[in-house]
Protein backbone atom coordinates (compact mmCIF):
# COMPACT_ATOMS: atom_id res chain seq x y z
CA UNK A 1 0.00 0.00 0.00
CA UNK A 2 1.51 3.33 -1.09
CA UNK A 3 1.59 6.35 1.18
CA UNK A 4 -0.55 8.45 -1.16
CA UNK A 5 -3.33 6.09 -2.22
CA UNK A 6 -6.77 7.48 -3.04
CA UNK A 7 -9.32 7.14 -0.26
CA UNK A 8 -13.04 6.53 -0.73
CA UNK A 9 -15.64 7.12 1.98
CA UNK A 10 -19.03 5.42 1.67
CA UNK A 11 -21.28 8.15 2.99
CA UNK A 12 -20.79 11.91 3.15
CA UNK A 13 -21.93 12.40 6.73
CA UNK A 14 -20.01 13.46 9.82
CA UNK A 15 -17.62 10.49 9.89
CA UNK A 16 -16.88 10.65 6.18
CA UNK A 17 -16.16 14.34 6.42
CA UNK A 18 -13.84 13.88 9.40
CA UNK A 19 -11.91 11.12 7.65
CA UNK A 20 -11.72 13.24 4.50
CA UNK A 21 -10.10 16.07 6.46
CA UNK A 22 -7.59 13.71 8.10
CA UNK A 23 -6.45 12.14 4.83
CA UNK A 24 -6.54 15.31 2.71
CA UNK A 25 -4.42 17.05 5.36
CA UNK A 26 -1.87 14.25 4.93
CA UNK A 27 -1.75 14.53 1.13
CA UNK A 28 -4.34 11.99 -0.03
CA UNK A 29 -7.10 12.49 -2.57
CA UNK A 30 -10.44 11.64 -0.93
CA UNK A 31 -13.82 10.95 -2.51
CA UNK A 32 -16.97 10.87 -0.42
CA UNK A 33 -19.61 8.75 -2.12
CA UNK A 34 -23.29 9.49 -1.58
CA UNK A 35 -25.05 6.18 -0.92
CA UNK A 36 -28.57 7.43 -1.67
CA UNK A 37 -30.25 7.96 -5.02
CA UNK A 38 -31.14 11.67 -4.97
CA UNK A 39 -32.37 14.30 -7.37
CA UNK A 40 -29.69 16.54 -8.85
CA UNK A 41 -30.92 19.37 -6.65
CA UNK A 42 -30.73 17.29 -3.46
CA UNK A 43 -27.28 15.99 -4.32
CA UNK A 44 -26.01 19.52 -4.96
CA UNK A 45 -27.24 20.50 -1.49
CA UNK A 46 -25.47 17.52 0.09
CA UNK A 47 -22.26 18.28 -1.82
CA UNK A 48 -22.39 21.93 -0.78
CA UNK A 49 -23.00 21.01 2.86
CA UNK A 50 -20.23 18.39 2.94
CA UNK A 51 -17.57 20.52 1.27
CA UNK A 52 -18.68 23.52 3.28
CA UNK A 53 -18.11 21.63 6.52
CA UNK A 54 -14.73 20.38 5.31
CA UNK A 55 -13.74 23.96 4.45
CA UNK A 56 -14.95 25.19 7.84
CA UNK A 57 -12.87 22.49 9.55
CA UNK A 58 -9.73 23.44 7.65
CA UNK A 59 -10.39 27.10 8.44
CA UNK A 60 -10.65 26.28 12.14
CA UNK A 61 -7.38 24.34 11.96
CA UNK A 62 -5.83 27.43 10.41
CA UNK A 63 -7.00 29.54 13.35
CA UNK A 64 -5.49 26.94 15.68
CA UNK A 65 -2.11 27.25 13.95
CA UNK A 66 -1.96 23.85 12.23
CA UNK A 67 -1.99 25.39 8.76
CA UNK A 68 -2.21 28.80 7.11
CA UNK A 69 -5.15 30.43 5.39
CA UNK A 70 -3.31 29.94 2.10
CA UNK A 71 -3.27 26.18 2.68
CA UNK A 72 -7.06 25.81 2.86
CA UNK A 73 -7.88 25.89 -0.87
CA UNK A 74 -5.18 23.37 -1.90
CA UNK A 75 -6.40 21.01 0.83
CA UNK A 76 -10.05 21.41 -0.14
CA UNK A 77 -9.11 20.61 -3.74
CA UNK A 78 -8.17 17.08 -2.63
CA UNK A 79 -11.74 16.34 -1.47
CA UNK A 80 -14.70 15.59 -3.70
CA UNK A 81 -18.25 14.29 -3.36
CA UNK A 82 -19.88 12.11 -6.01
CA UNK A 83 -23.44 10.82 -6.38
CA UNK A 84 -24.35 7.15 -6.01
CA UNK A 85 -24.57 6.85 -9.81
CA UNK A 86 -20.82 7.53 -10.08
CA UNK A 87 -19.76 5.24 -7.25
CA UNK A 88 -18.25 2.61 -9.55
CA UNK A 89 -15.61 4.92 -11.01
CA UNK A 90 -14.75 6.42 -7.63
CA UNK A 91 -14.38 3.01 -5.99
CA UNK A 92 -12.24 1.68 -8.82
CA UNK A 93 -9.69 4.43 -8.16
CA UNK A 94 -9.61 3.90 -4.39
CA UNK A 95 -6.73 2.20 -2.60
CA UNK A 96 -8.81 1.87 0.57
CA UNK A 97 -12.49 2.29 1.37
CA UNK A 98 -14.05 3.45 4.63
CA UNK A 99 -17.76 2.86 5.24
CA UNK A 100 -19.40 5.49 7.43
CA UNK A 101 -23.17 5.06 7.05
CA UNK A 102 -25.65 5.04 10.00
CA UNK A 103 -25.39 2.27 12.63
CA UNK A 104 -27.94 -0.07 11.05
CA UNK A 105 -26.67 -3.60 10.34
CA UNK A 106 -28.83 -4.20 7.29
CA UNK A 107 -27.89 -0.84 5.74
CA UNK A 108 -24.20 -1.37 6.34
CA UNK A 109 -24.29 -4.88 4.91
CA UNK A 110 -26.10 -3.62 1.82
CA UNK A 111 -23.67 -0.73 1.23
CA UNK A 112 -20.55 -2.79 1.96
CA UNK A 113 -21.71 -5.70 -0.18
CA UNK A 114 -22.43 -3.46 -3.16
CA UNK A 115 -19.10 -1.67 -2.84
CA UNK A 116 -17.12 -4.90 -2.52
CA UNK A 117 -18.43 -6.08 -5.89
CA UNK A 118 -17.20 -2.93 -7.65
CA UNK A 119 -13.56 -2.97 -6.59
CA UNK A 120 -10.45 -5.09 -6.98
CA UNK A 121 -10.57 -8.19 -4.73
CA UNK A 122 -7.41 -6.92 -2.95
CA UNK A 123 -8.79 -3.47 -2.10
CA UNK A 124 -9.11 -3.13 1.66
CA UNK A 125 -12.54 -2.21 2.99
CA UNK A 126 -13.21 -1.01 6.53
CA UNK A 127 -16.32 -0.19 8.49
CA UNK A 128 -16.04 2.71 10.94
CA UNK A 129 -18.84 1.36 13.11
CA UNK A 130 -18.70 2.15 16.81
CA UNK A 131 -21.07 -0.64 17.86
CA UNK A 132 -21.36 -3.49 15.35
CA UNK A 133 -18.93 -6.41 15.44
CA UNK A 134 -16.84 -6.99 12.34
CA UNK A 135 -18.05 -10.56 11.85
CA UNK A 136 -21.66 -9.37 11.82
CA UNK A 137 -20.79 -7.44 8.67
CA UNK A 138 -18.08 -9.48 6.96
CA UNK A 139 -20.54 -11.99 5.50
CA UNK A 140 -21.70 -9.30 3.09
CA UNK A 141 -18.19 -8.84 1.70
CA UNK A 142 -16.73 -10.66 -1.26
CA UNK A 143 -13.32 -11.84 0.01
CA UNK A 144 -13.76 -11.01 3.73
CA UNK A 145 -10.02 -11.46 4.23
CA UNK A 146 -9.63 -7.80 3.16
CA UNK A 147 -12.32 -6.50 5.57
CA UNK A 148 -12.05 -5.18 9.16
CA UNK A 149 -13.41 -2.51 11.49
CA UNK A 150 -11.48 0.75 11.82
CA UNK A 151 -13.05 2.83 14.58
CA UNK A 152 -12.15 6.53 14.64
CA UNK A 153 -12.80 8.74 17.68
CA UNK A 154 -14.49 12.07 17.02
CA UNK A 155 -13.28 14.51 15.95
CA UNK A 156 -11.58 12.07 13.58
CA UNK A 157 -9.24 14.71 12.15
CA UNK A 158 -7.82 15.56 15.60
CA UNK A 159 -7.91 12.52 17.91
CA UNK A 160 -4.76 10.45 17.26
CA UNK A 161 -6.16 7.07 18.31
CA UNK A 162 -7.83 4.73 15.82
CA UNK A 163 -9.03 1.30 16.98
CA UNK A 164 -8.45 -1.51 14.47
CA UNK A 165 -10.60 -4.60 15.00
CA UNK A 166 -10.04 -7.54 12.62
CA UNK A 167 -12.52 -10.35 12.09
CA UNK A 168 -12.02 -14.10 12.03
CA UNK A 169 -11.25 -14.03 8.30
CA UNK A 170 -9.12 -10.87 8.20
CA UNK A 171 -5.68 -11.46 6.71
CA UNK A 172 -2.95 -10.38 9.19
CA UNK A 173 -1.18 -8.66 6.29
CA UNK A 174 -4.25 -6.46 5.85
CA UNK A 175 -4.03 -5.39 9.49
CA UNK A 176 -0.39 -4.39 8.98
CA UNK A 177 -1.25 -2.43 5.83
CA UNK A 178 -4.00 -0.51 7.59
CA UNK A 179 -1.75 0.28 10.55
CA UNK A 180 0.94 1.54 8.19
CA UNK A 181 -1.56 3.73 6.34
CA UNK A 182 -2.90 5.23 9.56
CA UNK A 183 0.57 5.83 10.99
CA UNK A 184 1.46 7.55 7.73
CA UNK A 185 -1.18 10.23 8.38
CA UNK A 186 -0.10 10.72 11.98
CA UNK A 187 -2.59 8.44 13.70
CA UNK A 188 -1.89 5.96 16.51
CA UNK A 189 -3.59 2.64 15.66
CA UNK A 190 -4.27 -0.02 18.29
CA UNK A 191 -5.46 -3.53 17.48
CA UNK A 192 -8.22 -5.09 19.56
CA UNK A 193 -10.36 -8.21 19.38
CA UNK A 194 -13.83 -8.08 17.90
CA UNK A 195 -15.71 -7.22 21.09
CA UNK A 196 -18.57 -4.83 21.89
CA UNK A 197 -17.31 -1.35 22.72
CA UNK A 198 -13.77 -1.89 21.42
CA UNK A 199 -11.38 -0.34 24.00
CA UNK A 200 -12.11 3.34 24.54
CA UNK A 201 -15.95 3.31 24.30
CA UNK A 202 -16.10 0.39 26.74
CA UNK A 203 -13.92 2.13 29.33
CA UNK A 204 -15.46 5.55 28.87
CA UNK A 205 -19.02 4.19 29.20
CA UNK A 206 -18.16 2.98 32.72
CA UNK A 207 -16.44 6.25 33.62
CA UNK A 208 -19.20 8.48 32.22
CA UNK A 209 -21.96 6.49 33.93
CA UNK A 210 -20.08 6.63 37.24
CA UNK A 211 -19.64 10.40 36.91
CA UNK A 212 -23.37 10.81 36.21
CA UNK A 213 -24.17 8.51 39.14
CA UNK A 214 -22.11 10.70 41.50
CA UNK A 215 -24.09 13.76 40.42
CA UNK A 216 -27.30 11.79 41.02
CA UNK A 217 -26.10 10.75 44.49
CA UNK A 218 -25.03 14.27 45.42
CA UNK A 219 -21.36 13.36 45.81
CA UNK A 220 -20.33 16.57 44.05
CA UNK A 221 -21.61 19.03 41.46
CA UNK A 222 -21.10 18.41 37.77
CA UNK A 223 -18.61 21.29 37.72
CA UNK A 224 -16.55 19.87 40.57
CA UNK A 225 -16.54 16.35 39.11
CA UNK A 226 -15.38 17.63 35.72
CA UNK A 227 -12.65 19.68 37.42
CA UNK A 228 -11.50 16.51 39.20
CA UNK A 229 -11.37 14.67 35.88
CA UNK A 230 -9.45 17.40 34.04
CA UNK A 231 -6.82 18.02 36.70
CA UNK A 232 -6.58 14.56 38.30
CA UNK A 233 -7.94 11.59 36.40
CA UNK A 234 -7.33 12.90 32.89
CA UNK A 235 -4.07 14.61 33.84
CA UNK A 236 -2.48 11.34 34.96
CA UNK A 237 -3.82 9.26 32.10
CA UNK A 238 -2.55 11.67 29.48
CA UNK A 239 0.89 10.46 30.59
CA UNK A 240 0.33 6.97 32.02
CA UNK A 241 -1.93 4.31 30.56
CA UNK A 242 -4.51 2.78 32.89
CA UNK A 243 -2.65 -0.52 33.20
CA UNK A 244 0.69 1.27 33.39
CA UNK A 245 -0.72 3.31 36.28
CA UNK A 246 -1.75 0.13 38.11
CA UNK A 247 1.87 -1.02 37.82
CA UNK A 248 3.15 2.42 38.86
CA UNK A 249 1.30 2.37 42.15
CA UNK A 250 1.12 -1.41 42.58
CA UNK A 251 -1.57 -3.92 41.76
CA UNK A 252 -1.93 -4.73 45.46
CA UNK A 253 -3.19 -1.19 46.10
CA UNK A 254 -5.93 -1.64 43.51
CA UNK A 255 -6.80 -5.05 44.96
CA UNK A 256 -7.40 -3.73 48.49
CA UNK A 257 -9.00 -0.47 47.32
CA UNK A 258 -11.46 -2.42 45.17
CA UNK A 259 -12.41 -4.68 48.07
CA UNK A 260 -13.07 -1.66 50.27
CA UNK A 261 -15.15 0.21 47.67
CA UNK A 262 -17.19 -2.90 46.86
CA UNK A 263 -18.13 -3.25 50.53
CA UNK A 264 -18.50 0.43 51.39
CA UNK A 265 -20.64 1.27 48.37
CA UNK A 266 -22.43 -2.07 48.28
CA UNK A 267 -21.88 -2.70 44.59
CA UNK A 268 -19.98 -5.39 42.74
CA UNK A 269 -19.19 -2.92 39.97
CA UNK A 270 -16.05 -2.13 41.99
CA UNK A 271 -14.97 -5.74 42.27
CA UNK A 272 -11.49 -6.32 40.89
CA UNK A 273 -11.22 -8.90 38.08
CA UNK A 274 -9.42 -12.16 38.76
CA UNK A 275 -6.29 -10.99 36.94
CA UNK A 276 -5.64 -8.38 39.68
CA UNK A 277 -5.57 -10.91 42.52
CA UNK A 278 -3.72 -13.46 40.38
CA UNK A 279 -0.97 -10.98 39.52
CA UNK A 280 -0.68 -9.96 43.17
CA UNK A 281 -0.38 -13.50 44.46
CA UNK A 282 2.18 -14.32 41.75
CA UNK A 283 4.28 -11.33 42.80
CA UNK A 284 3.54 -9.34 39.65
CA UNK A 285 2.90 -6.14 41.58
CA UNK A 286 4.32 -3.70 39.06
CA UNK A 287 7.39 -1.48 39.16
CA UNK A 288 8.34 -2.66 42.63
CA UNK A 289 8.76 -6.27 41.45
CA UNK A 290 9.88 -5.63 37.87
CA UNK A 291 6.66 -6.90 36.29
CA UNK A 292 2.93 -6.34 36.45
CA UNK A 293 0.72 -5.92 33.42
CA UNK A 294 3.89 -4.70 31.70
CA UNK A 295 7.42 -6.07 31.88
CA UNK A 296 10.04 -3.75 33.43
CA UNK A 297 12.91 -6.22 33.54
CA UNK A 298 16.09 -4.78 32.07
CA UNK A 299 14.59 -1.28 32.16
CA UNK A 300 16.28 1.71 33.78
CA UNK A 301 13.33 2.32 36.11
CA UNK A 302 14.72 5.59 37.47
CA UNK A 303 15.08 7.00 33.95
CA UNK A 304 11.59 5.75 33.09
CA UNK A 305 10.12 7.52 36.14
CA UNK A 306 11.91 10.77 35.28
CA UNK A 307 10.58 10.63 31.71
CA UNK A 308 6.98 10.19 32.89
CA UNK A 309 7.33 12.89 35.53
CA UNK A 310 8.79 15.25 32.93
CA UNK A 311 5.68 14.71 30.82
CA UNK A 312 3.53 15.65 33.83
CA UNK A 313 5.58 18.81 34.37
CA UNK A 314 5.04 19.68 30.70
CA UNK A 315 1.30 19.30 31.27
CA UNK A 316 1.48 21.57 34.30
CA UNK A 317 3.06 24.21 32.08
CA UNK A 318 0.37 23.63 29.44
CA UNK A 319 -2.34 24.33 32.02
CA UNK A 320 -0.35 27.30 33.38
CA UNK A 321 -0.14 25.55 36.75
CA UNK A 322 3.65 25.25 37.05
CA UNK A 323 5.00 27.63 39.68
CA UNK A 324 8.47 28.35 41.04
CA UNK A 325 9.19 27.34 44.64
CA UNK A 326 8.53 29.74 47.49
CA UNK A 327 11.92 30.15 49.19
CA UNK A 328 11.31 33.20 51.43
CA UNK A 329 14.86 34.48 50.89
CA UNK A 330 15.54 37.59 52.90
CA UNK A 331 12.45 37.24 55.05
CA UNK A 332 12.98 37.16 58.83
CA UNK A 333 12.17 33.93 60.59
CA UNK A 334 9.21 33.92 62.92
CA UNK A 335 9.50 32.54 66.41
Amino acid sequence: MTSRINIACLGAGRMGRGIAVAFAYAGHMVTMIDIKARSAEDFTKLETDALGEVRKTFASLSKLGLLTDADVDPLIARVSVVPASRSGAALAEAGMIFEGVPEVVELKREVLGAAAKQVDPETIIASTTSTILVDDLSGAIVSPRRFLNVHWLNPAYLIPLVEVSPGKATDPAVIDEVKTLLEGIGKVPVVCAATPGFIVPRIQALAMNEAARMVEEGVASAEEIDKAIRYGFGFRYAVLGLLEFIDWGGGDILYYASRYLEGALGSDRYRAPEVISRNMHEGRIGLRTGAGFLDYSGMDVDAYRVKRLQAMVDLLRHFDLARPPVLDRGYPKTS
Side-chain angles (χ1 to χ4, degrees):
M1 184 180 288
T2 64
S3 60
R4 294 292 181 88
I5 61 170
N6 291 348
I7 302 296
C9 296
L10 297 170
R14 180 58 52 84
M15 182 53 67
R17 298 172 192 185
I19 291 174
V21 169
F23 276 104
Y25 185 91
H28 294 259
M29 301 297 291
V30 186
T31 303
M32 289 184 278
I33 301 171
D34 186 17
I35 63 166
K36 295 182 180 179
R38 305 176 194 264
S39 66
E41 180 181 357
D42 286 345
F43 172 75
T44 298
K45 183 178 185 303
L46 172 71
E47 181 182 33
T48 300
D49 287 347
L51 294 180
E53 184 173 334
V54 170
R55 176 176 290 279
K56 184 177 179 181
T57 300
F58 280 130
S60 69
L61 295 180
S62 173
K63 292 178 181 178
L64 294 170
L66 287 175
L67 51 100
T68 68
D69 290 342
D71 297 327
V72 173
D73 283 342
L75 291 173
I76 285 284
R78 294 173 178 160
V79 182
S80 60
V81 185
V82 300
S85 60
R86 290 173 51 198
S87 64
L91 290 169
E93 296 175 354
M96 183 163 179
I97 300 164
F98 291 93
E99 168 270 310
V101 303
E103 295 289 284
V104 179
V105 173
E106 294 78 11
L107 175 61
K108 286 183 179 290
R109 287 176 61 88
E110 178 184 347
V111 170
L112 287 165
K117 294 174 182 177
Q118 300 181 71
V119 298
D120 187 281
E122 297 303 310
T123 301
I124 298 174
I125 303 174
S127 174
T128 63
T129 178
S130 60
T131 57
I132 303 169
L133 298 184
V134 58
D135 290 324
D136 290 338
L137 299 172
S138 62
I141 306 292
V142 176
S143 187
R145 58 171 290 279
R146 42 84 179 257
F147 178 69
L148 73 176
N149 281 355
V150 177
H151 176 234
W152 302 64
L153 277 67
N154 278 316
Y157 55 87
L158 280 183
I159 303 299
L161 183 74
V162 182
E163 297 176 315
V164 177
S165 181
K168 294 176 182 176
T170 308
D171 186 336
V174 167
I175 302 170
D176 291 340
E177 286 191 59
V178 171
K179 288 175 62 180
T180 298
L181 176 66
L182 293 169
E183 288 167 350
I185 66 168
K187 296 300 180 182
V188 180
V190 295
V191 179
C192 63
T195 184
F198 302 98
I199 298 172
V200 172
R202 182 169 166 177
I203 293 171
Q204 74 181 11
L206 289 174
M208 290 189 295
N209 281 324
E210 195 65 15
R213 188 175 288 113
M214 285 192 288
V215 173
E216 184 177 65
E217 294 174 355
V219 172
S221 68
E223 292 78 9
E224 293 297 290
I225 291 171
D226 276 353
K227 188 185 294 184
I229 295 302
R230 288 193 187 97
Y231 298 108
F233 188 95
F235 187 93
R236 291 191 301 203
Y237 297 131
V239 174
L240 296 164
L242 278 169
L243 299 174
E244 184 182 13
F245 183 71
I246 295 173
D247 288 351
W248 183 279
D252 53 336
I253 293 176
L254 177 61
Y255 175 80
Y256 291 113
S258 298
R259 291 183 65 185
Y260 172 78
L261 288 172
E262 181 182 0
L265 294 173
S267 175
D268 62 5
R269 71 179 183 271
Y270 294 100
R271 183 177 301 161
E274 179 60 30
V275 66
I276 297 296
S277 57
R278 185 170 64 247
N279 278 359
M280 188 180 72
H281 290 120
E282 292 176 354
R284 298 175 59 85
I285 303 299
L287 278 177
R288 300 201 307 272
T289 60
F293 280 97
L294 305 175
D295 184 3
Y296 304 94
S297 61
M299 176 186 290
D300 185 337
V301 173
D302 288 339
Y304 157 75
R305 285 183 183 274
V306 169
K307 183 177 180 181
R308 291 294 187 265
L309 292 172
Q310 180 63 61
M312 290 188 184
V313 170
D314 292 342
L315 276 177
L316 282 175
R317 293 194 176 107
H318 170 75
F319 286 112
D320 198 26
L321 292 173
R323 298 182 179 184
V326 176
L327 300 174
D328 291 334
R329 289 194 180 98
Y331 287 86
K333 293 182 180 180
T334 60
S335 57

